[in-house]
Amino acid sequence: MIASQLDPMVIKSGDNVIIRMPSTNAKIVTLNPAKTVSLGKFGSFNASELIGKTFGHTYEIEKGGSIVPHTIAGFDSADITEANNKEIVDNPKSQKLTFQEIEQLKTMSLSGDVSAQEIIASLTENNESFDKKTEFSKSKYILRKQRKFMKSFVPLETSVYNLCNYFFEFNPGKIRGIRADTLSQVLSLANVYSNARILAVDDGQGIIIGALLSRMAAGGQVLGIHDGDVSNYDVIRYMNFTTDTRDRLQTLPWSKLYHNVEPFTEQLAEGASEDDKFGRERRLRGHSRLSDSLDNLRRGEFDALVISTNYNSKSVIERLVPYLGGSRMLVVYDQSKDALLETFAWLRQSPDFLNVQLTESWLREYQVLPSRTHPMMNTSGGGGFILSAIHLAPVEKPASDSSS
């Protein structure tokens, strides 16, 4: 096996990749060497060009669909000077290029006849106020134009962190609004580690279960309880897990929680068709999976119970906590604090739980640059709430003395 196949940071054929564009928009693509990846106005490239490259680097799209590594300079490299912007007036006439000339440059850029650097150079050269700006303002101006015209992208690994950020930004309802820092606290509070057995309820389409599996590379097992006959852990399909890691996940429908599995006795008649044989094998596999999941559940003594559910969390805990081991963590996530208040009060009064806490994480992103470190102006309104508690082992009563 070649080294690139062993390096997780090297992009391989069939990988799912998050493509981050200059406008900060993003999309998830599956790399098929025979396909072309389209990024709209930012151009398109052959997927085969990205295979063998490294995650996290910036690549520029050239004419013909090839890509080359590219370094975006500008804001990070600005120097501190005594210049200021007090003489600059916001006047659209400071740009000598006409609207038609700029549109023509855009059209030529889409066809690959003009590079983004040439467009940005033309805009800066024909801007009368550009030379009067401070170095910071010049860098910001260039950065804005790069985001608008650069035919470049950054391939990001579909890790738990990147996927959580992606869905939180573009489709938060899919993952029940959980933010990456909140998800990390769920994993930390649940004390997830390799070779652990975790019981989970995840109605956020698998973001939490995927995070649990990411810590099971060396061993362990996750049992997911779900609605319907088939689990809807859609987020997991984007994660480039190995087959061994995926096999560490078992699923069980709520409707089968108290099901008694009978031995599989189906027999095929003589002369059965291939479709009948295939159907029997499929039903046998389903029977074996259900039997294994129920055996795993009834063994009990799980190392953690992690819940993110659309149902009342108290009712879910009452059904599943008998399978949780003693001195093990119960962790419940929800978007709303009100949805957890009843459960919080019930856990506080219960003699079976200790150190009951209801917390909310707060996150503020900072720009960190020389002499320009400050919090970003925009931030998320919230990343959800976490209810956690330690489950106490039931006390066994001593056997009565028959002689007394």
Side-chain angles (χ1 to χ4, degrees), residues 306-323:
V306 182
I307 298 172
S308 172
T309 181
N310 296 320
Y311 295 122
N312 180 282
S313 56
K314 177 175 176 288
S315 64
V316 173
I317 294 171
E318 287 175 330
R319 284 167 174 77
L320 297 182
V321 79
Y323 306 106

Side-chain angles (χ1 to χ4, degrees), residues 250-263:
Q250 289 183 322
T251 60
L252 182 66
W254 278 111
S255 59
K256 303 292 186 182
L257 199 64
Y258 306 112
H259 184 71
N260 291 322
V261 180
E262 300 294 335

Side-chain angles (χ1 to χ4, degrees), residues 310-375:
N310 296 320
Y311 295 122
N312 180 282
S313 56
K314 177 175 176 288
S315 64
V316 173
I317 294 171
E318 287 175 330
R319 284 167 174 77
L320 297 182
V321 79
Y323 306 106
L324 180 62
S327 298
R328 298 296 190 267
M329 289 299 300
L330 164 69
V331 182
V332 185
Y333 164 81
D334 204 284
Q335 290 176 275
S336 170
K337 180 175 71 173
D338 295 337
L340 296 175
L341 288 178
E342 178 191 358
T343 308
F344 173 71
W346 172 66
L347 291 176
R348 288 285 299 270
Q349 295 174 359
S350 172
D352 298 328
F353 295 93
L354 184 68
N355 194 28
V356 181
Q357 297 184 15
L358 178 59
T359 59
E360 177 188 15
S361 61
W362 191 83
L363 178 71
R364 188 68 181 266
E365 185 179 358
Y366 272 69
Q367 169 186 288
V368 180
L369 291 171
S371 302
R372 288 153 285 166
T373 297
H374 60 77

Side-chain angles (χ1 to χ4, degrees), residues 375-396:
M376 305 298 285
M377 297 299 294
N378 298 323
T379 187
S380 62
F385 297 82
I386 300 175
L387 174 61
S388 62
I390 300 174
H391 178 236
L392 300 179
V395 178
E396 296 185 2

Side-chain angles (χ1 to χ4, degrees), residues 190-200 208-225 244-252 288-289 291-306:
N191 191 28
V192 182
Y193 55 90
S194 289
N195 295 313
R197 294 174 60 244
I198 310 296
L199 181 59
I208 291 180
I209 284 186
L212 296 172
L213 287 173
S214 70
R215 296 199 174 184
M216 301 284 179
Q221 200 165 56
V222 178
L223 176 59
I225 312 296
D244 288 342
T245 301
R246 291 181 182 275
D247 289 343
R248 301 190 194 285
L249 172 63
Q250 289 183 322
T251 60
L252 182 66
S288 298
R289 285 196 298 268
S291 179
D292 291 343
S293 297
L294 284 171
D295 288 344
N296 188 17
L297 176 69
R298 289 164 184 170
R299 281 173 54 199
E301 295 299 317
F302 281 92
D303 295 309
L305 172 57
V306 182

Side-chain angles (χ1 to χ4, degrees), residues 86-235:
K86 68 178 182 179
E87 302 296 336
I88 297 177
V89 179
D90 188 10
N91 183 4
K93 294 183 180 179
S94 62
Q95 179 56 253
K96 297 178 184 177
L97 292 178
T98 64
F99 175 78
Q100 290 76 13
E101 290 173 332
I102 295 175
E103 289 299 311
Q104 184 179 4
L105 287 173
K106 289 181 181 179
T107 304
M108 295 174 67
S109 174
L110 290 175
S111 62
D113 296 327
V114 175
S115 67
Q117 290 91 334
E118 292 174 327
I119 296 178
I120 297 171
S122 298
L123 291 173
T124 55
E125 289 171 3
N126 290 279
N127 191 320
E128 294 180 348
S129 62
F130 183 77
D131 291 333
K132 300 177 184 178
K133 296 176 181 287
T134 65
E135 293 301 311
F136 294 159
S137 295
K138 289 179 182 178
S139 297
K140 288 181 179 180
Y141 178 88
I142 293 173
L143 183 60
R144 287 198 302 271
K145 299 307 177 186
Q146 286 175 338
R147 289 178 175 174
K148 189 173 183 180
F149 297 111
M150 282 296 296
K151 298 172 66 175
S152 62
F153 65 92
V154 180
L156 300 176
E157 182 185 8
T158 52
S159 62
V160 174
Y161 175 79
N162 288 334
L163 279 174
C164 190
N165 284 334
Y166 171 83
F167 286 113
F168 186 81
E169 182 178 356
F170 298 107
N171 190 4
K174 185 182 182 77
I175 58 173
R176 303 190 74 241
I178 190 168
R179 203 169 51 202
D181 60 303
T182 306
L183 180 57
S184 68
Q185 291 186 49
V186 168
L187 296 177
S188 178
L189 287 169
N191 191 28
V192 182
Y193 55 90
S194 289
N195 295 313
R197 294 174 60 244
I198 310 296
L199 181 59
V201 179
D202 184 5
D203 292 340
Q205 299 204 16
I207 185 66
I208 291 180
I209 284 186
L212 296 172
L213 287 173
S214 70
R215 296 199 174 184
M216 301 284 179
Q221 200 165 56
V222 178
L223 176 59
I225 312 296
H226 60 83
D227 282 327
D229 294 331
V230 181
S231 61
N232 181 25
Y233 298 146
D234 184 65
V235 175

